[in-house]
Amino acid sequence: MMLIQKEDLSLSLSLNFLHKFSSNSSDRNSETLTRGIDVNRLPSTVIDCEEEETGVSSPNSTVSSVSGKRSERDDVDRACSGGNISDEEDAETARKKLRLSKNQSAILEETFKQHNTLNPKQKLALAKQLGLRPRQVEVWFQNRRARTKLKQTEVDCEVLKRCCENLTDENRRLQKEVQELRALKLSPQFYMQMAPPTTLTMCPSCERVAVPSHPMAQPRTRPIHIGPWASSAPLAHRPFEFDVFRR
DNA sequence: GCCGTTCTTCCCCTTACCTCA
DNA sequence: TTTGAGGTAAGGGGAAGAACG
């Protein structure tokens, strides 16, 4: 029984995108020529590898994955990338920086837009199409997620900074107002006519202001401006879009 | 059902290499 | 030509979760 998952469908869409790119492989070839290391060499045994891996029963994978510990997995990865690298070559290229071509990056980006994580099947398919090792695709997605998170943190930082500035301004304004009120020579009669002081409490989760139901409390005609933190109801209880504080 | 082990995947931090001003 | 900064592929450690005996 063949069940086509939604992710697989979207992956196939991106693979169509990939074919569009792959047809124009001049970019890839030129990079291969200009650099000593051919990251983009299509693994000659990639199909065999995939079949072999599919045969390995992995308890966690929905389909299959490169099983074993990292070192073993890397061995399989190496095998997938051609398997004809000699020990000397291997040692030579062990830590050489492998630059992905523009096409490969574009395709990876496109796939990332659709889903920022890949299941093992998608990873294998993408690696095969790009002529990369599955590990490379995995690493690329990991690094891409890290970059996204970093960017989002920077954005959040900016927002917090602006909020802080707004609150500082608001605080300054209120301090000034308090000073002005203190400066007034208020008569006891004036106090009697005033509504009782209202203590505002803010719900920490939804950031809405709760006005206590004091028997003397009168509904205010003037809206209370609370500043940037008093968000509107639809925004209240908004889950974090990024699990920055997951750990 | 509980527990320990194994395996996989993820995140995080870091390193090493590449590119460019 | 050299050099330093920034970008990024990759290594390694640790945690979480699932499967298994």
Side-chain angles (χ1 to χ4, degrees):
Chain A
M1 183 174 67
M2 287 286 287
L3 288 177
I4 300 175
Q5 296 178 342
K6 199 174 80 177
E7 290 85 358
D8 295 334
L9 276 175
S10 51
L11 177 67
S12 65
L13 286 176
S14 66
L15 291 179
N16 286 337
F17 175 82
L18 178 150
H19 285 305
K20 196 174 69 182
F21 265 92
S22 310
S23 59
N24 181 12
S25 60
S26 59
D27 174 71
R28 203 180 91 178
N29 293 335
S30 64
E31 287 215 10
T32 302
L33 285 173
T34 52
R35 302 206 175 98
I37 310 127
D38 184 5
V39 235
N40 308 311
R41 179 179 51 207
L42 187 66
S44 58
T45 60
V46 72
I47 296 174
D48 294 336
C49 281
E50 189 186 11
E51 284 169 354
E52 188 181 323
E53 284 156 15
T54 321
V56 177
S57 66
S58 174
N60 290 336
S61 309
T62 52
V63 183
S64 76
S65 68
V66 182
S67 63
K69 290 177 183 173
R70 191 169 295 166
S71 56
E72 297 167 8
R73 182 181 63 194
D74 291 347
D75 287 345
V76 179
D77 256 357
R78 249 193 296 278
C80 286
S81 67
N84 52 358
I85 303 171
S86 70
D87 288 347
E88 293 162 33
E89 270 180 315
D90 202 18
E92 234 175 69
T93 62
R95 187 73 186 201
K96 291 280 182 184
K97 199 72 179 189
L98 308 176
R99 204 77 180 178
L100 300 177
S101 72
K102 283 179 183 175
N103 285 347
Q104 287 171 324
S105 295
I107 291 157
L108 285 164
E109 277 291 343
E110 195 63 24
T111 312
F112 184 82
K113 277 181 196 168
Q114 294 170 13
H115 28 233
N116 65 357
T117 54
L118 294 176
N119 65 34
K121 191 178 181 180
Q122 291 172 323
K123 186 171 71 181
L124 274 176
L126 190 56
K128 184 180 168 186
Q129 291 294 328
L130 292 172
L132 297 172
R133 282 170 284 155
R135 171 70 182 155
Q136 287 178 292
V137 174
E138 183 183 317
V139 163
W140 188 92
F141 269 75
Q142 279 174 14
N143 286 323
R144 186 64 180 78
R145 281 192 293 270
R147 285 197 291 274
T148 301
K149 186 176 176 180
L150 182 65
K151 273 219 167 108
Q152 185 58 41
T153 304
E154 286 171 3
V155 169
D156 289 347
C157 226
E158 272 304 306
V159 170
L160 286 173
K161 218 169 110 184
R162 277 203 297 276
C163 283
C164 187
E165 287 167 5
N166 287 343
L167 285 172
T168 304
D169 288 347
E170 180 72 359
N171 187 41
R172 209 169 287 140
R173 192 187 65 77
L174 289 171
Q175 295 272 13
K176 195 180 165 191
E177 201 174 317
V178 166
Q179 275 187 350
E180 285 171 2
L181 286 172
R182 280 192 178 139
L184 289 175
K185 307 267 182 185
L186 297 174
S187 68
Q189 273 185 335
F190 182 82
Y191 276 110
M192 293 300 286
Q193 289 168 2
M194 281 181 71
T198 306
T199 305
L200 300 179
T201 54
M202 190 181 290
C203 169
S205 61
C206 68
E207 297 167 354
R208 295 176 76 178
V209 173
V211 180
S213 55
H214 191 284
M216 297 287 285
Q218 302 292 321
R220 283 173 174 265
T221 52
R222 201 183 71 169
I224 307 168
H225 176 66
I226 306 300
W229 291 107
S231 52
S232 57
L235 287 177
H237 294 297
R238 182 173 65 104
F240 285 112
E241 289 174 9
F242 294 85
D243 54 345
V244 178
F245 308 108
R246 197 171 71 87
R247 295 192 173 215

